[in-house]
């Protein structure tokens, strides 16, 4: 069941999510960490002028929930901007919700850069 149904289902979802992220964030500084079989994408916004926590708060107000990257780097006491430039987003939602959420993420990321300019 896993090989014939579950894996192909989520492989299709991640491919669509990656395509939509690339479309919506075109022209911005971002990277997608290689998807390796979970139901999450890691997005890295190099030099993002706000923290991933601030981005989370903005997105939350618009009905989009992500996980700020800072929670995945426990024990790192020195300043390391990368931990505040990453988010984890799920691609398990239905396609319509996922596409709408990615669009909102892109809008808020672009807004952060516009405000810093």
């Amino acid at each position: 069941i896993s090989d014939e149904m579950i894996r192909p289902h989520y492989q299709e979802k991640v491919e669509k999510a990656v395509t939509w992220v690339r479309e919506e964030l075109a022209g911005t500084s971002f990277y997608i960490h290689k998807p390796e079989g979970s139901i999450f994408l890691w997005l890295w916004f190099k030099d993002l002028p706000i923290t991933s926590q601030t981005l989370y708060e903005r997105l939350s107000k618009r009905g989009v929930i992500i996980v700020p990257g800072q929670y995945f780097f426990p024990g790192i006491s020195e300043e390391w901007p990368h931990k505040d430039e990453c988010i984890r987003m799920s691609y398990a939602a239905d396609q319509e919700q996922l596409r709408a959420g990615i669009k909102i993420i892109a809008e808020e990321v672009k807004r952060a850069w516009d405000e810093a300019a």
Side-chain angles (χ1 to χ4, degrees):
I1 291 175
S2 178
D3 288 342
E4 293 176 18
M5 295 177 72
I6 297 171
R7 182 174 293 135
H9 172 77
Y10 285 103
Q11 183 64 40
E12 181 182 346
K13 288 178 90 59
V14 73
E15 288 171 4
K16 286 181 180 177
V18 166
T19 296
W20 294 333
V21 166
R22 288 184 175 143
E23 287 173 2
E24 294 296 336
L25 287 164
T28 65
S29 179
F30 77 96
Y31 303 92
I32 302 171
H33 291 259
K34 181 182 177 183
E36 296 184 307
S38 66
I39 58 170
F40 301 101
L41 282 180
W42 279 95
L43 305 179
W44 175 26
F45 303 106
K46 185 167 174 27
D47 300 322
L48 186 66
I50 60 174
T51 66
S52 60
Q53 180 65 39
T54 300
L55 180 58
Y56 162 81
E57 291 165 10
R58 289 182 179 190
L59 292 169
S60 173
K61 288 177 184 173
R62 297 188 63 189
V64 175
I65 304 300
I66 53 93
V67 182
Q70 67 191 30
Y71 296 111
F72 297 93
F73 299 94
I76 297 177
S77 57
E78 68 272 357
E79 281 299 311
W80 186 39
H82 183 79
K83 67 182 180 183
D84 290 316
E85 297 171 343
C86 291
I87 64 169
R88 187 178 84 167
M89 61 160 269
S90 172
Y91 56 82
D94 73 59
Q95 299 300 315
E96 188 176 307
Q97 287 179 317
L98 179 60
R99 184 123 200 214
I102 291 169
K103 182 177 177 69
I104 292 169
I105 291 169
E107 289 170 1
E108 290 299 330
V109 167
K110 290 174 183 178
R111 185 179 119 194
W113 269 308
D114 288 345
E115 291 171 350

